[in-house]
PDB file of all heavy atoms in Angstrom:
ATOM      1  N   LEU A  33      12.576  -6.355  -1.390  1.00 98.00           N
ATOM      2  CA  LEU A  33      11.254  -5.885  -1.685  1.00 98.00           C
ATOM      3  C   LEU A  33      10.308  -6.032  -0.442  1.00 98.00           C
ATOM      4  O   LEU A  33       9.511  -5.114  -0.138  1.00 98.00           O
ATOM      5  CB  LEU A  33      10.646  -6.520  -2.922  1.00 98.00           C
ATOM      6  CG  LEU A  33      11.345  -6.048  -4.193  1.00 98.00           C
ATOM      7  CD1 LEU A  33      11.137  -7.077  -5.297  1.00 98.00           C
ATOM      8  CD2 LEU A  33      10.829  -4.659  -4.608  1.00 98.00           C
ATOM      9  N   ARG A  34      10.450  -7.115   0.274  1.00 97.00           N
ATOM     10  CA  ARG A  34       9.666  -7.260   1.530  1.00 97.00           C
ATOM     11  C   ARG A  34      10.090  -6.246   2.530  1.00 97.00           C
ATOM     12  O   ARG A  34       9.274  -5.735   3.300  1.00 97.00           O
ATOM     13  CB  ARG A  34       9.854  -8.676   2.077  1.00 97.00           C
ATOM     14  CG  ARG A  34       9.132  -9.699   1.274  1.00 97.00           C
ATOM     15  CD  ARG A  34       8.868 -11.004   2.023  1.00 97.00           C
ATOM     16  NE  ARG A  34       8.101 -11.905   1.184  1.00 97.00           N
ATOM     17  CZ  ARG A  34       6.785 -11.932   1.085  1.00 97.00           C
ATOM     18  NH1 ARG A  34       6.062 -11.079   1.781  1.00 97.00           N
ATOM     19  NH2 ARG A  34       6.125 -12.773   0.311  1.00 97.00           N
ATOM     20  N   LYS A  35      11.367  -5.847   2.540  1.00 97.00           N
ATOM     21  CA  LYS A  35      11.823  -4.811   3.422  1.00 97.00           C
ATOM     22  C   LYS A  35      11.202  -3.450   3.071  1.00 97.00           C
ATOM     23  O   LYS A  35      10.877  -2.647   3.950  1.00 97.00           O
ATOM     24  CB  LYS A  35      13.343  -4.703   3.421  1.00 97.00           C
ATOM     25  CG  LYS A  35      13.912  -3.755   4.458  1.00 97.00           C
ATOM     26  CD  LYS A  35      15.418  -3.830   4.564  1.00 97.00           C
ATOM     27  CE  LYS A  35      15.843  -3.087   5.725  1.00 97.00           C
ATOM     28  NZ  LYS A  35      16.532  -2.010   5.882  1.00 97.00           N
ATOM     29  N   VAL A  36      10.986  -3.217   1.787  1.00 98.00           N
ATOM     30  CA  VAL A  36      10.313  -1.958   1.393  1.00 98.00           C
ATOM     31  C   VAL A  36       8.918  -1.989   1.983  1.00 98.00           C
ATOM     32  O   VAL A  36       8.449  -0.938   2.554  1.00 98.00           O
ATOM     33  CB  VAL A  36      10.219  -1.829  -0.194  1.00 98.00           C
ATOM     34  CG1 VAL A  36       9.349  -0.671  -0.579  1.00 98.00           C
ATOM     35  CG2 VAL A  36      11.687  -1.686  -0.721  1.00 98.00           C
ATOM     36  N   LEU A  37       8.224  -3.104   1.898  1.00 97.00           N
ATOM     37  CA  LEU A  37       6.890  -3.189   2.470  1.00 97.00           C
ATOM     38  C   LEU A  37       6.906  -2.963   4.009  1.00 97.00           C
ATOM     39  O   LEU A  37       6.091  -2.203   4.525  1.00 97.00           O
ATOM     40  CB  LEU A  37       6.258  -4.559   2.186  1.00 97.00           C
ATOM     41  CG  LEU A  37       5.773  -4.833   0.794  1.00 97.00           C
ATOM     42  CD1 LEU A  37       5.546  -6.346   0.543  1.00 97.00           C
ATOM     43  CD2 LEU A  37       4.524  -4.047   0.456  1.00 97.00           C
ATOM     44  N   ASP A  38       7.844  -3.630   4.658  1.00 96.00           N
ATOM     45  CA  ASP A  38       7.968  -3.476   6.122  1.00 96.00           C
ATOM     46  C   ASP A  38       8.246  -1.990   6.515  1.00 96.00           C
ATOM     47  O   ASP A  38       7.691  -1.501   7.475  1.00 96.00           O
ATOM     48  CB  ASP A  38       9.048  -4.366   6.668  1.00 96.00           C
ATOM     49  CG  ASP A  38       8.672  -5.861   6.559  1.00 96.00           C
ATOM     50  OD1 ASP A  38       7.488  -6.159   6.381  1.00 96.00           O
ATOM     51  OD2 ASP A  38       9.602  -6.684   6.626  1.00 96.00           O
ATOM     52  N   THR A  39       9.185  -1.359   5.772  1.00 97.00           N
ATOM     53  CA  THR A  39       9.544   0.023   6.061  1.00 97.00           C
ATOM     54  C   THR A  39       8.360   0.914   5.830  1.00 97.00           C
ATOM     55  O   THR A  39       8.110   1.858   6.624  1.00 97.00           O
ATOM     56  CB  THR A  39      10.754   0.426   5.213  1.00 97.00           C
ATOM     57  OG1 THR A  39      11.830  -0.432   5.496  1.00 97.00           O
ATOM     58  CG2 THR A  39      11.141   1.869   5.486  1.00 97.00           C
ATOM     59  N   PHE A  40       7.542   0.669   4.775  1.00 96.00           N
ATOM     60  CA  PHE A  40       6.425   1.476   4.510  1.00 96.00           C
ATOM     61  C   PHE A  40       5.420   1.362   5.724  1.00 96.00           C
ATOM     62  O   PHE A  40       5.017   2.423   6.249  1.00 96.00           O
ATOM     63  CB  PHE A  40       5.732   0.963   3.230  1.00 96.00           C
ATOM     64  CG  PHE A  40       4.547   1.784   2.860  1.00 96.00           C
ATOM     65  CD1 PHE A  40       4.652   2.817   1.927  1.00 96.00           C
ATOM     66  CD2 PHE A  40       3.255   1.535   3.352  1.00 96.00           C
ATOM     67  CE1 PHE A  40       3.563   3.591   1.536  1.00 96.00           C
ATOM     68  CE2 PHE A  40       2.147   2.244   2.973  1.00 96.00           C
ATOM     69  CZ  PHE A  40       2.298   3.311   2.038  1.00 96.00           C
ATOM     70  N   MET A  41       5.148   0.156   6.147  1.00 94.00           N
ATOM     71  CA  MET A  41       4.230  -0.033   7.273  1.00 94.00           C
ATOM     72  C   MET A  41       4.750   0.677   8.564  1.00 94.00           C
ATOM     73  O   MET A  41       3.998   1.334   9.218  1.00 94.00           O
ATOM     74  CB  MET A  41       3.942  -1.524   7.484  1.00 94.00           C
ATOM     75  CG  MET A  41       3.095  -2.105   6.430  1.00 94.00           C
ATOM     76  SD  MET A  41       2.584  -3.803   6.812  1.00 94.00           S
ATOM     77  CE  MET A  41       4.099  -4.714   6.468  1.00 94.00           C
ATOM     78  N   SER A  42       5.989   0.415   8.892  1.00 95.00           N
ATOM     79  CA  SER A  42       6.534   0.936  10.112  1.00 95.00           C
ATOM     80  C   SER A  42       6.681   2.480  10.088  1.00 95.00           C
ATOM     81  O   SER A  42       6.483   3.158  11.095  1.00 95.00           O
ATOM     82  CB  SER A  42       7.857   0.254  10.495  1.00 95.00           C
ATOM     83  OG  SER A  42       8.854   0.553   9.523  1.00 95.00           O
ATOM     84  N   SER A  43       7.027   2.989   8.931  1.00 95.00           N
ATOM     85  CA  SER A  43       7.127   4.477   8.783  1.00 95.00           C
ATOM     86  C   SER A  43       5.771   5.158   8.969  1.00 95.00           C
ATOM     87  O   SER A  43       5.713   6.205   9.604  1.00 95.00           O
ATOM     88  CB  SER A  43       7.670   4.835   7.405  1.00 95.00           C
ATOM     89  OG  SER A  43       9.005   4.306   7.237  1.00 95.00           O
ATOM     90  N   LEU A  44       4.729   4.535   8.465  1.00 93.00           N
ATOM     91  CA  LEU A  44       3.388   5.112   8.573  1.00 93.00           C
ATOM     92  C   LEU A  44       2.953   5.106  10.055  1.00 93.00           C
ATOM     93  O   LEU A  44       2.547   6.137  10.573  1.00 93.00           O
ATOM     94  CB  LEU A  44       2.374   4.316   7.763  1.00 93.00           C
ATOM     95  CG  LEU A  44       0.909   4.708   7.818  1.00 93.00           C
ATOM     96  CD1 LEU A  44       0.765   6.177   7.376  1.00 93.00           C
ATOM     97  CD2 LEU A  44       0.096   3.783   7.000  1.00 93.00           C
ATOM     98  N   LYS A  45       3.165   4.002  10.701  1.00 91.00           N
ATOM     99  CA  LYS A  45       2.783   3.812  12.112  1.00 91.00           C
ATOM    100  C   LYS A  45       3.548   4.800  13.000  1.00 91.00           C
ATOM    101  O   LYS A  45       2.961   5.375  13.929  1.00 91.00           O
ATOM    102  CB  LYS A  45       2.929   2.382  12.533  1.00 91.00           C
ATOM    103  CG  LYS A  45       2.206   2.033  13.781  1.00 91.00           C
ATOM    104  CD  LYS A  45       2.244   0.546  14.031  1.00 91.00           C
ATOM    105  CE  LYS A  45       1.451   0.199  15.320  1.00 91.00           C
ATOM    106  NZ  LYS A  45       1.443  -1.208  15.551  1.00 91.00           N
ATOM    107  N   ALA A  46       4.825   4.968  12.685  1.00 93.00           N
ATOM    108  CA  ALA A  46       5.704   5.824  13.495  1.00 93.00           C
ATOM    109  C   ALA A  46       5.638   7.317  13.078  1.00 93.00           C
ATOM    110  O   ALA A  46       6.279   8.148  13.698  1.00 93.00           O
ATOM    111  CB  ALA A  46       7.132   5.337  13.425  1.00 93.00           C
ATOM    112  N   LYS A  47       4.910   7.619  11.986  1.00 94.00           N
ATOM    113  CA  LYS A  47       4.790   8.937  11.437  1.00 94.00           C
ATOM    114  C   LYS A  47       6.173   9.478  11.028  1.00 94.00           C
ATOM    115  O   LYS A  47       6.466  10.646  11.236  1.00 94.00           O
ATOM    116  CB  LYS A  47       4.104   9.880  12.409  1.00 94.00           C
ATOM    117  CG  LYS A  47       2.697   9.451  12.769  1.00 94.00           C
ATOM    118  CD  LYS A  47       2.030  10.439  13.684  1.00 94.00           C
ATOM    119  CE  LYS A  47       0.596   9.976  14.036  1.00 94.00           C
ATOM    120  NZ  LYS A  47      -0.151  10.971  14.787  1.00 94.00           N
ATOM    121  N   ASP A  48       7.019   8.583  10.466  1.00 96.00           N
ATOM    122  CA  ASP A  48       8.355   8.883  10.053  1.00 96.00           C
ATOM    123  C   ASP A  48       8.466   9.188   8.581  1.00 96.00           C
ATOM    124  O   ASP A  48       8.593   8.302   7.740  1.00 96.00           O
ATOM    125  CB  ASP A  48       9.274   7.659  10.422  1.00 96.00           C
ATOM    126  CG  ASP A  48      10.714   7.842  10.039  1.00 96.00           C
ATOM    127  OD1 ASP A  48      11.086   8.887   9.476  1.00 96.00           O
ATOM    128  OD2 ASP A  48      11.488   6.886  10.360  1.00 96.00           O
ATOM    129  N   LEU A  52       9.823   6.991   5.093  1.00 97.00           N
ATOM    130  CA  LEU A  52       8.831   6.690   4.026  1.00 97.00           C
ATOM    131  C   LEU A  52       9.217   7.366   2.723  1.00 97.00           C
ATOM    132  O   LEU A  52       9.148   6.729   1.670  1.00 97.00           O
ATOM    133  CB  LEU A  52       7.409   7.180   4.431  1.00 97.00           C
ATOM    134  CG  LEU A  52       6.378   6.727   3.470  1.00 97.00           C
ATOM    135  CD1 LEU A  52       5.546   5.622   4.082  1.00 97.00           C
ATOM    136  CD2 LEU A  52       5.524   7.839   2.970  1.00 97.00           C
ATOM    137  N   LEU A  55      11.610   5.699   0.260  1.00 98.00           N
ATOM    138  CA  LEU A  55      11.193   4.524  -0.491  1.00 98.00           C
ATOM    139  C   LEU A  55      10.747   4.883  -1.909  1.00 98.00           C
ATOM    140  O   LEU A  55      10.628   4.016  -2.765  1.00 98.00           O
ATOM    141  CB  LEU A  55      10.048   3.851   0.219  1.00 98.00           C
ATOM    142  CG  LEU A  55      10.239   3.332   1.629  1.00 98.00           C
ATOM    143  CD1 LEU A  55       8.977   2.839   2.228  1.00 98.00           C
ATOM    144  CD2 LEU A  55      11.321   2.255   1.631  1.00 98.00           C
ATOM    145  N   TRP A  93      -0.406  12.565   0.732  1.00 93.00           N
ATOM    146  CA  TRP A  93      -1.104  11.439   1.370  1.00 93.00           C
ATOM    147  C   TRP A  93      -0.547  11.220   2.785  1.00 93.00           C
ATOM    148  O   TRP A  93      -1.293  11.075   3.737  1.00 93.00           O
ATOM    149  CB  TRP A  93      -0.968  10.180   0.513  1.00 93.00           C
ATOM    150  CG  TRP A  93      -1.490   8.991   1.221  1.00 93.00           C
ATOM    151  CD1 TRP A  93      -2.832   8.564   1.303  1.00 93.00           C
ATOM    152  CD2 TRP A  93      -0.741   8.004   1.969  1.00 93.00           C
ATOM    153  NE1 TRP A  93      -2.890   7.412   2.024  1.00 93.00           N
ATOM    154  CE2 TRP A  93      -1.678   7.058   2.464  1.00 93.00           C
ATOM    155  CE3 TRP A  93       0.602   7.869   2.282  1.00 93.00           C
ATOM    156  CZ2 TRP A  93      -1.276   5.968   3.219  1.00 93.00           C
ATOM    157  CZ3 TRP A  93       1.014   6.811   3.050  1.00 93.00           C
ATOM    158  CH2 TRP A  93       0.065   5.866   3.517  1.00 93.00           C
ATOM    159  N   PHE A  94       0.783  11.164   2.932  1.00 94.00           N
ATOM    160  CA  PHE A  94       1.399  10.903   4.206  1.00 94.00           C
ATOM    161  C   PHE A  94       1.034  11.994   5.198  1.00 94.00           C
ATOM    162  O   PHE A  94       0.679  11.748   6.335  1.00 94.00           O
ATOM    163  CB  PHE A  94       2.916  10.763   4.046  1.00 94.00           C
ATOM    164  CG  PHE A  94       3.592  10.440   5.327  1.00 94.00           C
ATOM    165  CD1 PHE A  94       3.629   9.137   5.811  1.00 94.00           C
ATOM    166  CD2 PHE A  94       4.257  11.402   6.069  1.00 94.00           C
ATOM    167  CE1 PHE A  94       4.212   8.795   7.013  1.00 94.00           C
ATOM    168  CE2 PHE A  94       4.858  11.074   7.260  1.00 94.00           C
ATOM    169  CZ  PHE A  94       4.857   9.787   7.709  1.00 94.00           C
ATOM    170  N   VAL A 102      -2.989   7.191  15.574  1.00 84.00           N
ATOM    171  CA  VAL A 102      -2.079   6.356  14.895  1.00 84.00           C
ATOM    172  C   VAL A 102      -2.772   5.600  13.723  1.00 84.00           C
ATOM    173  O   VAL A 102      -3.829   5.047  13.916  1.00 84.00           O
ATOM    174  CB  VAL A 102      -1.434   5.311  15.855  1.00 84.00           C
ATOM    175  CG1 VAL A 102      -0.590   4.312  15.124  1.00 84.00           C
ATOM    176  CG2 VAL A 102      -0.641   5.995  16.947  1.00 84.00           C
ATOM    177  N   LYS A 103      -2.097   5.591  12.586  1.00 90.00           N
ATOM    178  CA  LYS A 103      -2.609   4.927  11.395  1.00 90.00           C
ATOM    179  C   LYS A 103      -1.727   3.746  11.094  1.00 90.00           C
ATOM    180  O   LYS A 103      -0.544   3.734  11.377  1.00 90.00           O
ATOM    181  CB  LYS A 103      -2.638   5.864  10.204  1.00 90.00           C
ATOM    182  CG  LYS A 103      -3.293   7.186  10.359  1.00 90.00           C
ATOM    183  CD  LYS A 103      -4.724   7.131  10.683  1.00 90.00           C
ATOM    184  CE  LYS A 103      -5.499   8.440  10.667  1.00 90.00           C
ATOM    185  NZ  LYS A 103      -4.973   9.542  11.426  1.00 90.00           N
ATOM    186  N   GLU A 104      -2.337   2.716  10.469  1.00 92.00           N
ATOM    187  CA  GLU A 104      -1.612   1.536  10.188  1.00 92.00           C
ATOM    188  C   GLU A 104      -2.170   0.950   8.910  1.00 92.00           C
ATOM    189  O   GLU A 104      -3.416   0.955   8.705  1.00 92.00           O
ATOM    190  CB  GLU A 104      -1.756   0.576  11.374  1.00 92.00           C
ATOM    191  CG  GLU A 104      -0.939  -0.663  11.260  1.00 92.00           C
ATOM    192  CD  GLU A 104      -1.025  -1.516  12.471  1.00 92.00           C
ATOM    193  OE1 GLU A 104      -1.782  -1.212  13.379  1.00 92.00           O
ATOM    194  OE2 GLU A 104      -0.263  -2.543  12.504  1.00 92.00           O
ATOM    195  N   GLU A 105      -1.313   0.446   8.025  1.00 94.00           N
ATOM    196  CA  GLU A 105      -1.785  -0.305   6.842  1.00 94.00           C
ATOM    197  C   GLU A 105      -1.262  -1.738   7.019  1.00 94.00           C
ATOM    198  O   GLU A 105      -0.087  -1.927   7.264  1.00 94.00           O
ATOM    199  CB  GLU A 105      -1.240   0.335   5.560  1.00 94.00           C
ATOM    200  CG  GLU A 105      -1.852  -0.250   4.318  1.00 94.00           C
ATOM    201  CD  GLU A 105      -1.590   0.556   3.084  1.00 94.00           C
ATOM    202  OE1 GLU A 105      -1.059   1.650   3.129  1.00 94.00           O
ATOM    203  OE2 GLU A 105      -1.926  -0.003   1.995  1.00 94.00           O
ATOM    204  N   LYS A 106      -2.149  -2.652   6.864  1.00 94.00           N
ATOM    205  CA  LYS A 106      -1.780  -4.060   6.973  1.00 94.00           C
ATOM    206  C   LYS A 106      -1.869  -4.701   5.627  1.00 94.00           C
ATOM    207  O   LYS A 106      -2.798  -4.481   4.859  1.00 94.00           O
ATOM    208  CB  LYS A 106      -2.723  -4.797   7.965  1.00 94.00           C
ATOM    209  CG  LYS A 106      -2.608  -4.232   9.375  1.00 94.00           C
ATOM    210  CD  LYS A 106      -3.561  -4.910  10.316  1.00 94.00           C
ATOM    211  CE  LYS A 106      -3.446  -4.331  11.699  1.00 94.00           C
ATOM    212  NZ  LYS A 106      -4.390  -4.989  12.640  1.00 94.00           N
ATOM    213  N   PHE A 107      -0.884  -5.580   5.297  1.00 94.00           N
ATOM    214  CA  PHE A 107      -0.822  -6.230   4.019  1.00 94.00           C
ATOM    215  C   PHE A 107      -0.989  -7.736   4.174  1.00 94.00           C
ATOM    216  O   PHE A 107      -0.509  -8.307   5.122  1.00 94.00           O
ATOM    217  CB  PHE A 107       0.578  -5.994   3.356  1.00 94.00           C
ATOM    218  CG  PHE A 107       0.934  -4.590   3.160  1.00 94.00           C
ATOM    219  CD1 PHE A 107       2.251  -4.200   3.322  1.00 94.00           C
ATOM    220  CD2 PHE A 107      -0.005  -3.602   2.859  1.00 94.00           C
ATOM    221  CE1 PHE A 107       2.644  -2.869   3.100  1.00 94.00           C
ATOM    222  CE2 PHE A 107       0.386  -2.283   2.629  1.00 94.00           C
ATOM    223  CZ  PHE A 107       1.711  -1.932   2.766  1.00 94.00           C
ATOM    224  N   SER A 108      -1.681  -8.401   3.225  1.00 95.00           N
ATOM    225  CA  SER A 108      -1.760  -9.826   3.213  1.00 95.00           C
ATOM    226  C   SER A 108      -1.768 -10.315   1.760  1.00 95.00           C
ATOM    227  O   SER A 108      -1.994  -9.462   0.822  1.00 95.00           O
ATOM    228  CB  SER A 108      -3.021 -10.282   3.894  1.00 95.00           C
ATOM    229  OG  SER A 108      -4.207  -9.777   3.302  1.00 95.00           O
ATOM    230  N   VAL A 110       0.588 -11.183  -0.200  1.00 96.00           N
ATOM    231  CA  VAL A 110       1.610 -10.408  -0.957  1.00 96.00           C
ATOM    232  C   VAL A 110       2.142 -11.275  -2.097  1.00 96.00           C
ATOM    233  O   VAL A 110       2.521 -12.432  -1.892  1.00 96.00           O
ATOM    234  CB  VAL A 110       2.764  -9.985  -0.008  1.00 96.00           C
ATOM    235  CG1 VAL A 110       3.854  -9.305  -0.790  1.00 96.00           C
ATOM    236  CG2 VAL A 110       2.219  -9.077   1.055  1.00 96.00           C
ATOM    237  N   PHE A 123      -0.970  -6.842  -3.336  1.00 97.00           N
ATOM    238  CA  PHE A 123      -1.395  -7.431  -2.072  1.00 97.00           C
ATOM    239  C   PHE A 123      -2.806  -6.923  -1.729  1.00 97.00           C
ATOM    240  O   PHE A 123      -3.274  -5.917  -2.300  1.00 97.00           O
ATOM    241  CB  PHE A 123      -0.426  -6.980  -0.944  1.00 97.00           C
ATOM    242  CG  PHE A 123      -0.053  -5.523  -0.941  1.00 97.00           C
ATOM    243  CD1 PHE A 123      -0.843  -4.621  -0.270  1.00 97.00           C
ATOM    244  CD2 PHE A 123       1.052  -5.074  -1.645  1.00 97.00           C
ATOM    245  CE1 PHE A 123      -0.480  -3.262  -0.286  1.00 97.00           C
ATOM    246  CE2 PHE A 123       1.400  -3.750  -1.635  1.00 97.00           C
ATOM    247  CZ  PHE A 123       0.641  -2.810  -0.943  1.00 97.00           C
ATOM    248  N   ASP A 124      -3.409  -7.546  -0.772  1.00 97.00           N
ATOM    249  CA  ASP A 124      -4.665  -7.088  -0.148  1.00 97.00           C
ATOM    250  C   ASP A 124      -4.209  -6.179   0.990  1.00 97.00           C
ATOM    251  O   ASP A 124      -3.201  -6.474   1.678  1.00 97.00           O
ATOM    252  CB  ASP A 124      -5.486  -8.252   0.385  1.00 97.00           C
ATOM    253  CG  ASP A 124      -5.958  -9.192  -0.733  1.00 97.00           C
ATOM    254  OD1 ASP A 124      -6.305  -8.688  -1.809  1.00 97.00           O
ATOM    255  OD2 ASP A 124      -6.012 -10.418  -0.483  1.00 97.00           O
ATOM    256  N   PHE A 125      -4.942  -5.108   1.135  1.00 97.00           N
ATOM    257  CA  PHE A 125      -4.594  -4.226   2.278  1.00 97.00           C
ATOM    258  C   PHE A 125      -5.833  -3.842   3.066  1.00 97.00           C
ATOM    259  O   PHE A 125      -6.963  -3.955   2.644  1.00 97.00           O
ATOM    260  CB  PHE A 125      -3.944  -2.889   1.751  1.00 97.00           C
ATOM    261  CG  PHE A 125      -4.921  -1.872   1.278  1.00 97.00           C
ATOM    262  CD1 PHE A 125      -5.375  -0.893   2.140  1.00 97.00           C
ATOM    263  CD2 PHE A 125      -5.364  -1.887  -0.058  1.00 97.00           C
ATOM    264  CE1 PHE A 125      -6.304   0.032   1.662  1.00 97.00           C
ATOM    265  CE2 PHE A 125      -6.298  -0.936  -0.475  1.00 97.00           C
ATOM    266  CZ  PHE A 125      -6.764   0.008   0.392  1.00 97.00           C
ATOM    267  N   SER A 126      -5.569  -3.490   4.338  1.00 97.00           N
ATOM    268  CA  SER A 126      -6.569  -2.863   5.150  1.00 97.00           C
ATOM    269  C   SER A 126      -5.904  -1.671   5.836  1.00 97.00           C
ATOM    270  O   SER A 126      -4.751  -1.703   6.203  1.00 97.00           O
ATOM    271  CB  SER A 126      -7.185  -3.854   6.204  1.00 97.00           C
ATOM    272  OG  SER A 126      -6.153  -4.378   6.965  1.00 97.00           O
ATOM    273  N   TRP A 141       1.959  -1.984  -6.465  1.00 98.00           N
ATOM    274  CA  TRP A 141       3.095  -1.065  -6.541  1.00 98.00           C
ATOM    275  C   TRP A 141       3.957  -1.422  -7.711  1.00 98.00           C
ATOM    276  O   TRP A 141       4.204  -2.625  -7.964  1.00 98.00           O
ATOM    277  CB  TRP A 141       3.964  -1.069  -5.350  1.00 98.00           C
ATOM    278  CG  TRP A 141       3.338  -0.605  -4.047  1.00 98.00           C
ATOM    279  CD1 TRP A 141       2.089  -0.056  -3.829  1.00 98.00           C
ATOM    280  CD2 TRP A 141       3.964  -0.657  -2.752  1.00 98.00           C
ATOM    281  NE1 TRP A 141       1.896   0.191  -2.553  1.00 98.00           N
ATOM    282  CE2 TRP A 141       3.039  -0.122  -1.834  1.00 98.00           C
ATOM    283  CE3 TRP A 141       5.161  -1.081  -2.318  1.00 98.00           C
ATOM    284  CZ2 TRP A 141       3.322  -0.014  -0.486  1.00 98.00           C
ATOM    285  CZ3 TRP A 141       5.485  -1.010  -0.954  1.00 98.00           C
ATOM    286  CH2 TRP A 141       4.564  -0.491  -0.076  1.00 98.00           C
TER     287      TRP A 141
END
Side-chain angles (χ1 to χ4, degrees):
L33 289 159
R34 287 199 178 273
K35 186 170 192 248
V36 171
L37 286 165
D38 292 342
T39 301
F40 183 94
M41 287 187 286
S42 63
S43 298
L44 177 61
K45 196 170 183 179
K47 300 182 181 187
D48 179 357
L52 187 110
L55 299 175
W93 172 83
F94 183 78
V102 172
K103 309 296 189 309
E104 187 175 5
E105 189 168 352
K106 297 179 182 180
F107 304 144
S108 61
V110 175
F123 48 87
D124 297 322
F125 80 92
S126 56
W141 295 355

